[in-house]
Amino acid sequence: MSNVAGRGARWLDVSAERFPGWISAFAGRHGNPGPHSDSGSHGDAGSLLVAAADGAVTFTAGDGAVARCHPPFPETFAPPAGLSGPGEIAAAISAHAREPRTVGVLLVRLGGYAAGVFTGYPPALADAKVGSRLVHGRSAAGGWSQHRFARRREKQANEALDAAADTAVAVFDRWAAGRAPVVGQGRGARLDAVVLGGDKRAMAGLRDDPRLAPYLAIATERFLTVPDPRRAVLEGTPKAFTAVRIMLTEPLSGVRGSSPGR
């Protein structure tokens, strides 16, 4: 997955399993061919310059191309002491992304919401609840009718957000208290992190709900922009929240028609 991140840069999502190979390919594509490479598609990651700051790791190639890599769950990531080689660091990022975790996911858009808990790696959906509430669209009418419609819409939106919060609390509280069973493992593990997604404006309407405070306190920086939060959308979130996000900046002469992240 890729999208534009501004002039000369774009965002890529690369799975944990593919990330070390992606770094090797990045080195080869940007002037650092490996000793066993005959096509230039893979390279010597050891020739890359590496810097870590603010939860991200930046790999810089010989031609000036830069891959700023954001591991998932950056709040708990730090390059292990003693690792200095780019290949070793790439492997450490991959291992961090693949650590088994218990992760809560809350997706909210006006009128729709989903809360779930994923366990292990690859993440498996262990608990979930999905729902929806009617919220009318904006009215083009004017005068008193428009004001009445706006009040009704606001009431519907507040009720929808309350329902989303109720659902999140019902699902997450079971895990926070260790009451949710995991087949073959007795009591459920407590939540390691929470991932938020949907629509940021709708999510902002839940920020002041005191019941959600313990879960918002462990929410990751990564926000998942997703369509209406149906169950299938919820089930697909691990691909996004376990991926390494990369802001790739290439020299103009090095921009190619296809991306190594695809």
Side-chain angles (χ1 to χ4, degrees):
M1 177 181 177
S2 67
N3 58 286
V4 177
R7 185 176 181 181
R10 52 184 164 168
W11 284 101
L12 309 172
D13 283 354
V14 177
S15 69
E17 292 78 7
R18 294 183 57 240
F19 180 68
W22 189 96
I23 289 296
S24 180
F26 170 74
R29 291 167 70 91
H30 292 283
N32 300 287
H36 303 294
S37 174
D38 56 4
S39 65
S41 60
H42 289 77
D44 178 14
S47 60
L48 299 172
L49 298 178
V50 185
D54 301 325
V57 179
T58 301
F59 296 83
T60 303
D63 68 349
V66 175
R68 182 172 172 81
C69 304
H70 298 259
F73 310 102
E75 298 82 4
T76 58
F77 174 76
L83 295 187
S84 57
E88 290 180 320
I89 293 175
I93 292 174
S94 175
H96 168 79
R98 290 182 285 112
E99 288 179 6
R101 294 179 175 86
T102 302
V103 180
V105 176
L106 175 59
L107 309 176
V108 179
R109 301 187 74 90
L110 279 185
Y113 49 88
V117 174
F118 292 83
T119 60
Y121 191 90
L125 186 59
D127 198 354
K129 188 174 181 181
V130 179
S132 62
R133 286 292 186 95
L134 176 65
V135 178
H136 284 103
R138 299 183 183 280
S139 172
W144 174 251
S145 295
Q146 182 174 355
H147 291 299
R148 183 174 59 185
F149 184 91
R151 288 198 301 271
R152 184 173 66 174
R153 184 178 186 277
E154 182 180 7
K155 180 175 182 293
Q156 290 173 340
N158 289 336
E159 290 173 346
L161 292 176
D162 286 343
D166 291 343
T167 296
V169 170
V171 173
F172 295 165
D173 274 4
R174 289 196 289 268
W175 294 80
R179 297 195 304 267
V182 178
V183 175
Q185 298 181 26
R187 291 182 178 274
R190 297 178 186 274
L191 295 178
D192 295 310
V194 170
V195 176
L196 306 177
D199 175 74
K200 287 187 176 181
R201 287 198 298 179
M203 188 63 70
L206 298 178
R207 296 285 182 181
D208 294 330
D209 191 317
R211 298 173 300 164
L212 294 178
Y215 306 116
L216 296 179
I218 58 172
T220 66
E221 296 178 1
R222 187 171 302 184
F223 188 91
L224 307 182
T225 302
V226 298
D228 288 342
R230 305 179 187 277
R231 186 178 178 95
V233 173
L234 176 65
E235 291 174 344
T237 55
K239 184 177 180 181
F241 72 68
T242 62
V244 181
R245 294 223 76 198
I246 303 171
M247 188 173 73
L248 176 64
T249 306
E250 299 176 293
L252 291 179
S253 60
V255 175
R256 302 174 186 269
S258 62
S259 163
R262 292 184 177 178

